[in-house]
């Protein structure tokens, strides 16, 4: 029988792409999501793409009763845990909501997993846990620190997972630290669908390109980088999805538990904001008007991964280029100017 995976937050941006990759790799999936930042339409589209009706449960990770029902009904090999809130600015305004969702929700999920002796866990962490890095590229042993509640919630969960691994050596707690996920499925059927005006660069660029937003504000052009704009490690969401499959395959191959295992998922290469704008303009053929504004509070100059650990342990490496990321984002945006809304 194929191994069954519970995917919390599986209706979201990274979750939908990962569900497709998991299905293609032969895993059986059950999605658990409260749809607070996603839609049934996203799940319908995943079903259409893989030609299988998805097992979807609408529920909150803070609802232990509902989770127990799910664990009673299914025998899981492990859990991939995407569910959480992710907007840095909102987390500053509503810290309790962020800690409740991201930290209390994760504790609740882990408690139910322990009850049912499901102890394989893949957690969505973020490069934000590295704060303002002293050394580039950033490897997994770099010091961690966070200034905003969102980042702090990720770091707190990492600490909880580390403590859990020490307390009970049956746990397998892979913590994937994503760099900057962008792009969309090559079909153009699924992609990132921000609720409001996007906070992140790529969806902002694509909404300018499609004419929904007038111009891009580039936050600062006086950073010590190649052209003065911020540098990030943009990674295609389908490469990221493949990283999750590689993490599960790795857990399947292990004969003893791995404890707490942090792994970066990035390309290892930094690109500047202006480089991304130029690439997007070229691929889409659209004008992307922009202006330079002040730096955004809390932003760092440069951030890119050392992806060596993912390569050596998981045999995983990002394959897609910045041009691929722009091309797939543009296909999704131009085919779905209003995202999943009709
Ligand atoms: P997303 O918002 O698209 O997906 C998250 C999903 O979780 C949504 O479908 C939402 O409805 C669901 N959810 C939220 N709270 C829930 C709860 N209490 N119970 C059940 N479901 C809940 O976000 P994404 O971009 O796909 O990110 C997935 C994960 O990766 C998040 O944990 C995020 O913090 C992390 N991450 C994302 C990025 C990024 O740039 N997208 C970078 C680093 C880490
Ligand atoms: N950025 C920008 N304009 C925007 C959004 C982002 O200039 O409208 C810049 C931001 O200052 C940073 C880079 O783009 O240098 C990536 O920002 P994003 O919010 O996408 O990711 P993060 O800052 O979390 O790495």
């Amino acid at each position: 029988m194929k191994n069954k995976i519970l995917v919390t937050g599986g209706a979201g941006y990274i979750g939908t792409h990962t569900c497709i990759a998991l299905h293609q790799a032969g895993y059986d999936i059950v999605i658990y999501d409260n749809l607070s930042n996603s839609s049934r339409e996203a799940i319908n589209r995943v079903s259409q793409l893989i030609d299988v009706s998805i097992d979807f449960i609408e529920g909150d990770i803070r609802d232990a009763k509902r989770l127990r029902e799910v664990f009673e009904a299914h025998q899981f090999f492990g859990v991939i845990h995407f569910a959480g809130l992710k907007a840095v600015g909102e987390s500053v305004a509503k810290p309790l909501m962020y800690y409740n969702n991201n930290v209390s929700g994760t504790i609740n999920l882990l408690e139910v997993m322990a009850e049912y002796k499901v102890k394989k866990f893949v957690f969505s962490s973020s490069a934000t846990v590295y704060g303002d890095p002293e050394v580039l590229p950033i490897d997994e042993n770099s010091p961690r620190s966070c200034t905003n509640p969102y980042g702090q919630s990720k770091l707190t969960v990492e600490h909880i997972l580390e403590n859990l691994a020490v307390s009970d050596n049956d746990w397998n707690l892979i913590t994937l630290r994503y760099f900057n996920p962008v792009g969309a499925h090559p079909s153009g059927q699924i992609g990132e669908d921000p609720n409001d005006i996007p906070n992140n660069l790529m969806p902002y660029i694509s909404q300018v390109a499609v004419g929904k937003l007038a111009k891009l504000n580039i936050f600062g052009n006086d950073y010590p980088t190649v052209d003065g704009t911020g540098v990030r490690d943009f990674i295609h969401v389908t490469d990221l999805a493949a990283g999750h499959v590689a993490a599960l395959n790795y857990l399947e191959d292990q004969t003893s538990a791995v404890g707490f295992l942090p792994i970066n998922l990035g390309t290892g290469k930094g690109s500047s904001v202006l480089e991304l704008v130029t690439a997007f303009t070229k691929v889409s053929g659209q004008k992307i008007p922009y202006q330079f504004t002040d730096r955004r509070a809390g932003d760092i100059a440069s951030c890119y991964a050392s992806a060596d650990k993912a390569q050596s342990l998981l045999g995983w490496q990002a394959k897609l280029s910045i041009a691929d990321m722009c091309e797939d984002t543009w296909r999704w945006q131009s085919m779905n100017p209003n995202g999943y809304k009709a």
Side-chain angles (χ1 to χ4, degrees):
M1 200 185 83
K2 291 185 287 186
N3 271 327
K4 197 180 269 192
I5 309 298
L6 179 66
V7 185
T8 74
Y13 171 48
I14 304 171
T16 44
H17 291 84
T18 303
C19 284
I20 292 176
L22 289 170
H23 173 79
Q24 287 168 345
Y27 288 98
D28 228 348
I29 50 176
V30 175
I31 294 183
Y32 187 85
D33 197 304
N34 67 359
L35 302 181
S36 60
N37 196 38
S38 51
S39 64
R40 276 178 195 276
E41 177 59 14
I43 296 171
N44 293 341
R45 298 221 186 156
V46 172
S47 290
Q48 283 160 16
L49 284 168
I50 62 178
D51 204 15
V52 167
S53 160
I54 300 260
D55 208 339
F56 168 61
I57 296 140
E58 187 170 347
D60 195 294
I61 50 166
R62 293 164 296 179
D63 183 347
K65 188 168 164 279
R66 188 111 178 93
L67 278 175
R68 281 194 195 97
E69 286 165 10
V70 176
F71 278 79
E72 283 290 339
H74 301 272
Q75 184 77 49
F76 293 116
F77 171 76
V79 176
I80 302 187
H81 179 40
F82 293 110
L85 302 175
K86 63 167 182 176
V88 173
E90 186 184 49
S91 79
V92 175
K94 299 176 179 171
L96 296 179
M97 186 170 102
Y98 270 68
Y99 286 116
N100 187 259
N101 243 283
N102 294 4
V103 180
S104 305
T106 303
I107 293 173
N108 197 46
L109 172 63
L110 289 164
E111 282 175 342
V112 175
M113 288 177 65
E115 273 175 47
Y116 287 87
K117 300 196 169 38
V118 176
K119 294 192 174 177
K120 294 186 175 67
F121 189 66
V122 178
F123 174 60
S124 297
S125 189
S126 165
T128 195
V129 301
Y130 295 120
D132 194 353
E134 274 163 30
V135 179
L136 293 167
I138 306 170
D139 74 26
E140 287 80 356
N141 298 318
S142 303
R144 288 171 292 167
S145 71
C146 284
T147 49
N148 62 71
Y150 166 70
Q152 198 61 49
S153 75
K154 292 288 171 193
L155 190 49
T156 303
V157 170
E158 288 206 3
H159 289 315
I160 291 169
L161 299 180
E162 285 176 271
N163 296 159
L164 192 56
V166 170
S167 74
D168 170 357
N169 53 21
D170 284 344
W171 282 99
N172 297 264
L173 303 160
I174 296 191
T175 291
L176 298 177
R177 296 182 181 143
Y178 312 152
F179 280 65
N180 288 60
V182 297
H185 192 265
S187 64
Q189 291 299 313
I190 58 168
E192 190 170 8
D193 183 18
N195 261 332
D196 221 333
I197 295 177
N199 298 307
N200 295 112
L201 179 63
M202 185 65 114
Y204 205 106
I205 291 177
S206 66
Q207 292 199 11
V208 172
V210 85
K212 287 182 77 178
L213 295 169
K215 76 165 80 136
L216 170 72
N217 291 313
I218 297 185
F219 302 142
N221 61 346
D222 58 352
Y223 284 109
T225 61
V226 57
D227 54 24
T229 66
V231 164
R232 296 291 184 276
D233 186 340
F234 299 101
I235 173 167
H236 198 297
V237 66
T238 60
D239 274 333
L240 200 67
H244 292 76
V245 174
L248 282 181
N249 290 345
Y250 177 77
L251 290 180
E252 278 189 333
D253 289 346
Q254 298 309 300
T255 47
S256 54
V258 304
F260 174 76
L261 183 58
I263 301 178
N264 288 342
L265 292 184
T267 65
K269 190 178 164 295
S271 303
S272 75
V273 173
L274 272 179
E275 284 168 346
L276 195 67
V277 172
T278 305
F280 201 99
T281 306
K282 194 169 165 202
V283 157
S284 66
Q286 305 297 308
K287 281 210 165 52
I288 302 170
Y290 63 82
Q291 64 186 9
F292 295 114
T293 63
D294 287 346
R295 292 180 178 191
R296 182 170 66 180
D299 270 2
I300 57 175
S302 298
C303 171
Y304 51 92
S306 158
D308 294 351
K309 190 172 176 185
Q311 162 87 66
S312 61
L313 273 190
L314 308 182
W316 172 91
Q317 196 176 12
K319 294 195 178 84
L320 298 169
S321 67
I322 290 284
D324 297 319
M325 300 176 208
C326 293
E327 199 177 314
D328 291 333
T329 302
W330 178 235
R331 188 178 303 105
W332 153 252
Q333 181 71 71
S334 47
M335 285 169 65
N336 307 271
N338 298 314
Y340 292 113
K341 289 165 226 63

